[in-house]
Amino acid sequence: MKKTIRLAACVLLLCVCTALYAQADGSAGAETRTIDFTEKDAPSFSEADEGDVGKKAERDFGKAEFTKADFRHGAIAAGEVFSFNIFITTFNRIITRSPFADISLETMGHNITHPWVWDQDEFEINQIGHPYQGSIYFAAGRANGFNFWQSFAFAAFGSLMWEYTMENEPPSFNDFIHTPIGGSFLGEMFHRIYLSLDEKYPYLSWIASPQAALNRLLTGEKAPREEGGIEAFSLRLSADHIDSAFSFSDNAYQDKGYRNVVSGGIGFDILYGNPYVRDVKKPFERFTLSTDASFDGNYYDIKIFADGFLRSWVFEANDAVATTLALDLSYDFIMATDLNYQNNSFGFSVRQRYALPHKWTIEWKSGMGATYLGASDYYFNLKANKRKSKYDGSEQRLYDLGIGGNAKAEFKAANPWAGTFFLDGAFSAFYTIPGSVPPEGSSGCNLIWYGNAAYEHCVYKNYYAGLSFFLYQKFGFYTKGSDVFQTTSDWKLYVKRYF
C-alpha cells in the first residue's frame, strides 16, 4: 500500500507540473520588477489570453455562482458523492481484495450502533488518503455551483456515509476530522487550480480536479467562475543529500538512521491571489502550495506545505509598503522512509511587503495557530516494526495523534542583481489526544521544529539556480515508551523555472 501511494504521489506531482507548465506563458519574462501593490487591470497569470470567454465569465461571475446552487444540482452532487463511495468500496473489494471492504447489512448495522473509535490505519492512509478522498466529495459540491461552506457539507456527508456503511470497521474520529476538513482544504485549492486551467486547457484541467471535469462531461455545464487566479508558478528539479539520525533515552535501539542518501527531486510552488491587493472575503481566494518529492532506490521523501486565507484585511497598500492580517488554515505534511509528520492548524498571521531603493523588496510573515489534529511517529514502535499488537494481533498505529499549537515565520529579500534569499521556520507542540493511544503506544508530548534557508539567482531569463538547506528536529517525551530525539537534514541543489 505504501509503495502504491508513493508511486501515485510521484505520478500526480508530474501530472500537475505538466498541466501547470502548459498553463504558463513561456514567453513571459521573469526579471524582478519594482513592486506595485495597487490592483491592475492587466490580466493575471490565469486570465491571460482567455479573450471574450474569460471576460464574459468574469461578468457573469455573481449570477453563475448562485443560480446553479439549486435542488437539482444538490441532488446531482449527492449522487456523485454516493457513486464515488460505491466505486471505491467495489474497487477495494474486487480488485485489491482489502478486508475492510467486505461489507454487508450486518456490518452497516454494527457500525451504526458501535461507539466511535480512533482507528489504527497507516500514516499515509489517514493523513493524506482521507483528505484527498474528502476533496473528491468537496469537488462534487463546488462543481455543481455550491460555495465553500455548502460544499463542506457534501464532504461531511460523504465521510459519514463512508464511516457507517462503506467499511466493516467502526467509525473513527480521526477519519471524520481529516476527510471533510482536510478534504475542503485540498479540494478548494484543486478546484481553483482547475478553474485556472479550464478555459485555456480543458483537456488538462482534469488533473487538478477529476470530479469537476467528470461533472462537466456528465452535465455539460461548467463550474461557476471564481475571482482571482494563479499569480506565480515555478517548477523545480533538484539533487538532494539527506541525512538523518536517532537517539533514544534508554539506548534500546542503536539505529543511527540513513546517512549519505543522494536522490533526485521534483517540486513546484504556486501562489494563488495577491495577499496585498484587497480583503479576502471568500475562503482560499489567496493560498500558497509548495510540494517536493525526492526518491532513490532505498529512500523517499515527500513534502506538502499549504496555507490558505479564510478571511483577510489589507490595512495599507501602496507603492512602498503593504500590510495584511489574515485568518488562515495550514496543512503541513512530511512522509519519508524514517520520518512522518503532519500538522493541521487554524490561526492568524500578519505579513508585510516593502519596496526599497535600488530595486530591493523585503517581505516577512509571522503567525500562530491551534493544531486541531497533528501526527508524529512513535519511533520506539516504528523501529521495532510493531504494526501488530503483541497482545491480540490487532493493527496499531506507528504514530501519535495530538492537539496543541504552532508558530511560523518567513522572510524573503529579493534584488535582480543580488538574487533572492529565503528563510522560514515553524515550531509545533502537541499532546497525545486522550483515548487515541494504540495498544503498545504511549501518551506524551512532542516538540517539533523545522526550518528552511535558501538562496537562488537568475542564470538565464526565467531560469534560476539555487541552494537550500532544510532541517527537521523532534523531541518526543512519552510516559511508557522511549523518549527520542530525531533529526533530519536535506541539502538541495536545484534549478528552477519561473512562469
Side-chain angles (χ1 to χ4, degrees), residues 28 58 84 119 266 271 495-496:
E58 184 68 21
F84 178 70
D119 80 15
I266 184 173
L271 169 62
V495 293
K496 182 186 290 186

Side-chain angles (χ1 to χ4, degrees), residues 294-310:
S294 302
F295 298 90
D296 75 350
N298 300 308
Y299 196 92
Y300 66 91
D301 182 10
I302 300 171
K303 300 184 183 77
I304 303 172
F305 297 108
D307 179 87
F309 283 7
L310 295 176

Side-chain angles (χ1 to χ4, degrees), residues 264-340:
I266 184 173
F268 66 83
D269 302 296
I270 294 175
L271 169 62
Y272 184 99
N274 189 328
Y276 302 108
V277 169
R278 58 181 173 81
D279 294 352
V280 168
K281 298 181 179 179
K282 293 182 178 181
F284 289 79
E285 285 184 337
R286 189 272 178 187
F287 67 81
T288 59
L289 172 62
S290 178
T291 69
D292 186 77
S294 302
F295 298 90
D296 75 350
N298 300 308
Y299 196 92
Y300 66 91
D301 182 10
I302 300 171
K303 300 184 183 77
I304 303 172
F305 297 108
D307 179 87
F309 283 7
L310 295 176
R311 184 76 165 86
S312 76
W313 299 265
V314 178
F315 288 99
E316 56 179 333
N318 53 56
D319 291 344
V321 63
T323 305
T324 298
L325 177 67
L327 294 176
D328 45 30
L329 283 174
S330 294
Y331 178 89
D332 300 340
F333 175 88
I334 305 174
M335 183 176 73
T337 302
D338 57 357
L339 190 164
N340 290 311

